[in-house]
Amino acid sequence: MSNAILRVRCADRTGIIAALSDFVFRHGGNILDLDQHSEQESGRFFMRLVWAVDDFNLDADGIRLGLEVLARGFGLDWELNFDHVRDRVAIFCSKQPHCLYDLLLRQRLGELAGDIVLVISNHPDARPAAEYFGLPFVVVPVTPETKAEAETRQQELLKEYGINLVVLARYMQILSPTFIEQWSGRVINIHHSFLPAFAGARPYHQAQARGVKLIGATAHYATADLDEGPIIEQDVTRVTHRDTVEDMVRKGRDLERQVLARAVRLHLDRRVLIEGKRTIVFG
Amino acid sequence: MSNAILRVRCADRTGIIAALSDFVFRHGGNILDLDQHSEQESGRFFMRLVWAVDDFNLDADGIRLGLEVLARGFGLDWELNFDHVRDRVAIFCSKQPHCLYDLLLRQRLGELAGDIVLVISNHPDARPAAEYFGLPFVVVPVTPETKAEAETRQQELLKEYGINLVVLARYMQILSPTFIEQWSGRVINIHHSFLPAFAGARPYHQAQARGVKLIGATAHYATADLDEGPIIEQDVTRVTHRDTVEDMVRKGRDLERQVLARAVRLHLDRRVLIEGKRTIVFG
Amino acid sequence: MSNAILRVRCADRTGIIAALSDFVFRHGGNILDLDQHSEQESGRFFMRLVWAVDDFNLDADGIRLGLEVLARGFGLDWELNFDHVRDRVAIFCSKQPHCLYDLLLRQRLGELAGDIVLVISNHPDARPAAEYFGLPFVVVPVTPETKAEAETRQQELLKEYGINLVVLARYMQILSPTFIEQWSGRVINIHHSFLPAFAGARPYHQAQARGVKLIGATAHYATADLDEGPIIEQDVTRVTHRDTVEDMVRKGRDLERQVLARAVRLHLDRRVLIEGKRTIVFG
Amino acid sequence: MSNAILRVRCADRTGIIAALSDFVFRHGGNILDLDQHSEQESGRFFMRLVWAVDDFNLDADGIRLGLEVLARGFGLDWELNFDHVRDRVAIFCSKQPHCLYDLLLRQRLGELAGDIVLVISNHPDARPAAEYFGLPFVVVPVTPETKAEAETRQQELLKEYGINLVVLARYMQILSPTFIEQWSGRVINIHHSFLPAFAGARPYHQAQARGVKLIGATAHYATADLDEGPIIEQDVTRVTHRDTVEDMVRKGRDLERQVLARAVRLHLDRRVLIEGKRTIVFG
């Protein structure tokens, strides 16, 4: 069975749901899941709508045309996907392999609604892992001098492999604003988070020196404003004075794996809507 | 601003959302929140729909009539509420006051979408608390011999005070199947839960003897089948070997307060739908 | 049964535990709980030691004398308490009563190893609550002009009531560095925490605008450097786009209650050791 | 640096800590971590003691001799380990590879204080995974008829590889009471847990039918009484009506990975003490 997944955001006004659900109904679709919320403060409308298209009397182009008509009438900002059209995912990584492994394992377990088809790294270390899981692995070295060149190569690879989503799985290089701009909303990053936040180097050392009781991780869309992109998912774990910096790093690593994997799942399931500096996540 | 809240459950079929959202639209309503899910395995349809009725051109009776027509066509099982019509809540308690206090405090903080208007207890202990919070407090003693009589008195009180919801806030008496039947879906209970479950007396002692690492609490609708009613909310907290039975009881008490309060909130916000032995909670 | 609770911190060296446990043994004490950790990175030694003193052949003065001898030999920084000598606690609050109520309820439930004996507020609002729980309630108004005077009055009250611990239960005034200095390590504060942190006004509005998925609360000792004191306890709760700012405030309030109550318990149980800008919490 | 780790349990009496810490001190050891608790209800004494042995003037045999003397005097039940003597671990698995992978990944990341040196399975499926991580993989098929024979073969392998710990990483065969008895306290198992508990087949289907809001996982030592062995670690995760049985299985799988890995770490770090039907975990 194949489903269409429609995400809509727009200024709220009456009749949007009626019009969209009527459109689905009249063309023979059955709504399986509808999650809608109008925000009183901002006057914004957010919706995720899933319907079965097996007996639909419009093909993909027909649906898009129909939606375009509704969009003009209601001022909708919309995106349509079909769950049989899976995202093609590239993972960028450096030396730390934990997030890479975790994602590859989940792919093997059939947990992801997309396909990881490429691994790019600035170091050769992860090659055996990628190859074990049957994936092409390309080393694109990055130095301050060759950064532009490296990004050109990365862009070529992303194009060549038909990539829709880039996952920065502890990729320790900063992508240029140009790259980020071009892939806006399609690059997911993971970083550690602390209460309070720590500026500067060696955050785990700072966290221990401040005796924090929780450490966290945040997955977000990459934006030019580093680590300030729309947050997709967050979580925390408890630490005590018995945890060395090394223990905290290990616990943080565990958290990063889980939080990044959840964020990637949410994105691939078309459950995330970017709205300015934040996301709406349809849980 | 006043809102209508409609909950629907029925066998899934096409066109239900279109029909309902069209009904709202045509009569001048704006949908604020719509949360719908069709369960593939069971073929069941669940929905919660909230719309602003300030400019609606039907009054409550008119809405009910309109919904009844749709219900007949689509076989809907539905319930309609308005958020300005607040549930009237009675709390039943015994000697332990923690859940009672917590609910009364939340009422004072304006956190509840209903009104606690009556406290009934089989002991006089909680009288000062109820009176401090300005509530009538009625002692209805219960003994094995007087149980039927006591329930008659309780029923009278519930009728007299126009009660819609009974919260068993650590009420240590078992209500009769007749009572439960009559108040089906309108009595919320709280009890502790363990992994593994423990039959018999003194569960915290058993939990400690088994060295469990988590203790839990479950809020559910009361059914004749004791502690087996549809679950509304659950949570757990961590314990260690340093926790005495007394510590575990205290931690369990904290959990009971929070879980019961969350369940009551969910019910009063019309977020819970009972479906056989389980609930659908629109989060 | 009465217990002695000894907390020690010092530079690590061999023989400290042997000397202390030998001291306890030779004078007829039985160790009930010993939690010690030497930090490799910092070379610091931390310990909490509890022993039964019912058959001890030294009285409190004798114990202190004996410990002083050991302290000189080993360079110990130590603090001794007896669990039958309970801290006397003053609560400072303003208009928001949730943390005050929660602590008073816990006192009534017998959960605290200290005695709340005084409530001070800059507003009269909480008077009925304090009086219901049988506590003296003193209004000490604070204006920019009368601040010094107000603190003098507060200090007199703290002295008059023999207070050992001040709990700022959403007290919305900033205490002067002089006050804080004098009560160093004996003033517990609670504030909300976010990932990322938000500077400036209306943090919940900022948190919502950034679409955070978690909101948190942190209890810490007050220091002159506002909100930067040693952290005692932290926790977080989940929020979604369906949570209005008002919902987030309510969830934050729930969290504040729990986190502050846990921090106060830990302090009263003599489980917290302040070490520079952080705490060691013996869980 | 090398450390000795001593775990002790016995009937509580005065002087045990003094005697043991004195023993460590007199022979030139420095205590790094001491976690002790005497249980008032049961009169039992539990302790974990870690000291640096680099400058100790006794070798391993000498230490054991010294401890034996103390043990006779105080009636101690003790176990001594050195952190440079690492456990040799065998993983038993069947077709589901998630727990196996997770442990192998952690081994590669250097997270475990022991060495996984062997993988045994009743199916060939996991061979590539084991071999990728450089581990011998042995298929020992099990049928009702060949079970005894299979266990003989397994025992030979465990002996041949010098195994100290067996981890049942979703191994879907039941080990015989004889096997379990022989490996008592050295076989860790993982299974799902629910509130309430569900007897019989297809627990996830039952959990969904009951609308549980939490699903859990429990890691425990295997005992003849199936799934009733001493609990090492537990955790839960939240589910909603939007989670299909398949989603719940996936979430349960995630939880199993984490809970099993934590339990294995705790065991390898010598943090677990078995006391009858429960464990004491020194966190």
Side-chain angles (χ1 to χ4, degrees), chain A residues 45-212:
Chain A
F45 172 105
F46 308 112
M47 188 180 76
R48 181 178 181 268
L49 170 60
V50 181
W51 76 92
V53 290
D54 287 343
D55 301 321
F56 216 57
N57 65 20
L58 293 175
D59 62 6
D61 281 350
I63 297 173
R64 289 211 162 81
L65 217 59
L67 289 173
E68 191 48 39
V69 174
L70 291 166
R72 292 191 190 180
F74 287 99
L76 311 180
D77 185 354
W78 60 282
E79 187 173 342
L80 178 73
N81 295 91
F82 295 92
D83 62 3
H84 64 272
V85 183
R86 297 162 64 89
D87 269 359
R88 293 173 65 81
V89 182
I91 298 182
F92 281 34
C93 65
S94 292
K95 288 187 171 177
Q96 290 189 60
H98 57 286
C99 287
L100 172 68
Y101 261 111
D102 200 79
L103 289 167
L104 295 179
L105 172 55
R106 285 173 198 278
Q107 164 134 302
R108 177 156 299 181
L109 294 171
E111 290 188 2
L112 302 180
D115 300 305
I116 303 168
V117 295
L118 175 65
V119 181
I120 294 178
S121 179
N122 56 331
H123 291 288
D125 309 47
R127 180 181 301 279
E131 292 182 346
Y132 168 68
F133 284 96
L135 290 182
F137 178 86
V138 183
V139 177
V140 181
V142 181
T143 64
E145 297 73 35
T146 63
K147 186 164 181 154
E149 198 179 321
E151 288 200 352
T152 305
R153 176 74 184 118
Q154 288 166 345
Q155 294 271 25
E156 285 169 5
L157 285 162
L158 299 182
K159 195 170 173 194
E160 179 187 339
Y161 281 87
I163 298 300
N164 311 101
L165 176 69
V166 172
V167 177
L168 305 181
R170 300 301 291 153
Y171 180 63
M172 304 309 282
Q173 296 293 323
I174 295 168
L175 296 169
S176 71
T178 316
F179 189 111
I180 292 294
E181 184 63 31
Q182 212 168 330
W183 284 85
S184 174
R186 291 179 299 155
V187 179
I188 297 177
N189 192 21
I190 180 78
H191 68 83
H192 36 57
S193 311
F194 299 96
L195 298 159
F198 301 109
R202 307 217 302 173
Y204 283 104
H205 286 81
Q206 290 189 65
Q208 209 218 19
R210 275 289 273 120
V212 301

Side-chain angles (χ1 to χ4, degrees), chain C residues 21 32-34 36-38, chain D residues 12 21 32-34 36-38:
Chain C
S21 57
L32 301 177
D33 196 276
L34 196 167
Q36 179 271 342
H37 185 66
S38 291
Chain D
D12 191 23
S21 56
L32 301 176
D33 196 277
L34 196 167
Q36 179 271 343
H37 186 67
S38 291

Side-chain angles (χ1 to χ4, degrees), chain B residues 232-244:
Chain B
I232 306 169
E233 173 63 344
Q234 306 184 287
D235 212 345
V236 297
T237 196
R238 211 157 262 279
V239 293
T240 78
H241 67 280
R242 280 202 160 90
D243 288 300
T244 61

Side-chain angles (χ1 to χ4, degrees), chain C residues 125-195:
Chain C
D125 309 48
R127 180 181 302 279
E131 293 183 346
Y132 169 69
F133 284 98
L135 291 182
F137 177 86
V138 184
V139 177
V140 181
V142 182
T143 64
E145 296 74 36
T146 64
K147 185 162 179 158
E149 199 179 321
E151 287 200 352
T152 304
R153 176 72 184 121
Q154 289 166 344
Q155 293 272 24
E156 284 168 5
L157 286 163
L158 299 182
K159 194 170 175 192
E160 180 187 339
Y161 281 86
I163 299 301
N164 312 100
L165 175 69
V166 173
V167 177
L168 305 180
R170 300 301 290 153
Y171 180 63
M172 303 309 282
Q173 296 293 323
I174 294 167
L175 296 169
S176 71
T178 315
F179 188 111
I180 292 294
E181 183 63 31
Q182 211 168 329
W183 284 85
S184 174
R186 291 179 300 154
V187 179
I188 296 178
N189 192 19
I190 180 77
H191 68 83
H192 36 59
S193 313
F194 298 94
L195 299 159

Side-chain angles (χ1 to χ4, degrees), chain A residues 97-98 101 250 253-254 257, chain D residues 86-91 99-119 129-136 163 165 167 261 264-265 268:
Chain A
H98 57 286
Y101 261 111
R250 173 179 49 77
R253 207 157 55 199
D254 257 31
R257 286 211 263 164
Chain D
R86 297 163 63 89
D87 269 0
R88 293 173 66 80
V89 182
I91 298 181
C99 288
L100 171 67
Y101 261 109
D102 200 80
L103 289 166
L104 295 179
L105 172 55
R106 285 173 197 279
Q107 164 134 304
R108 176 155 300 181
L109 294 172
E111 291 188 1
L112 303 179
D115 300 304
I116 303 169
V117 295
L118 174 65
V119 180
E131 292 183 346
Y132 169 68
F133 284 97
L135 291 181
I163 299 300
L165 175 69
V167 177
V264 169
R265 272 186 62 83
L268 294 176

